[in-house]
Amino acid sequence: MSATWLDEIRWTDDGLVPVIAQQADTGKILMFAWMNRESLGLTVAEGYAVYWSRSRGKLWRKGEESGHRQKVTGLFLDCDEDVIVLKVEQESGIACHTGRESCFYRQLVKGHWQPVEPVLKDPETIYGKP
């Protein structure tokens, strides 16, 4: 596969691009993460989301611990060439490590961040640790 499409992306100074994962059938925003050239190339090659974990300094295959993988159905680059949207089919319907469908589960209500989405599965049962 030619890497020229990777060269069209405006990477940050540290070689990353922000990525928004969106549920393909509903359009719901599931999560935000980062990718580097290697993780984006692997995502395209494997058909499943592979991100770059800044906190761990390594590749992160979404669902490697939880089993909640993201099958990629489309990949889109914005007009400024510096943000990617992944259209995904979220396996098990849980994208967030808190056991919720989306990482964006808190809404500003009267000056306070309130959870507005239910926990679908206890994170301890997903990850086996507190």
Side-chain angles (χ1 to χ4, degrees):
M1 171 179 5
S2 172
T4 56
W5 61 273
L6 287 167
D7 296 331
E8 295 179 39
I9 297 169
R10 294 179 194 251
W11 303 94
T12 64
D13 291 341
D14 49 357
L16 301 174
V17 65
V19 180
I20 299 165
Q22 181 181 39
Q23 180 63 36
D25 58 352
T26 65
K28 184 168 188 165
I29 301 298
L30 300 176
M31 57 176 277
F32 167 85
W34 296 92
M35 286 186 175
N36 62 11
R37 290 176 75 95
E38 183 182 8
S39 63
L40 183 53
L42 287 169
T43 295
V44 170
E46 298 175 5
Y48 287 87
V50 181
Y51 299 106
W52 176 256
S53 172
R54 294 183 307 162
S55 61
R56 293 177 282 190
K58 67 177 192 168
L59 293 174
W60 160 43
R61 283 178 165 77
K62 177 66 175 159
E64 64 191 358
E65 290 183 41
S66 67
H68 303 152
R69 300 187 318 158
Q70 294 175 337
K71 181 179 170 107
V72 177
T73 63
L75 199 145
F76 300 85
L77 183 63
D78 78 325
C79 60
D80 292 327
E81 301 169 333
D82 62 358
V83 177
I84 290 175
V85 169
L86 289 183
K87 300 259 184 173
V88 301
E89 293 173 1
Q90 178 65 55
E91 294 183 358
S92 301
I94 298 172
C96 186
H97 75 282
T98 66
R100 292 176 172 88
E101 177 186 17
S102 170
C103 293
F104 297 95
Y105 63 88
R106 291 178 278 203
Q107 181 177 359
L108 187 63
V109 178
K110 298 181 181 177
H112 299 282
W113 293 107
Q114 301 292 324
V116 294
E117 287 195 11
V119 173
L120 302 176
K121 190 171 185 180
D122 184 341
E124 288 187 32
T125 63
I126 296 171
Y127 302 102
K129 55 188 171 191

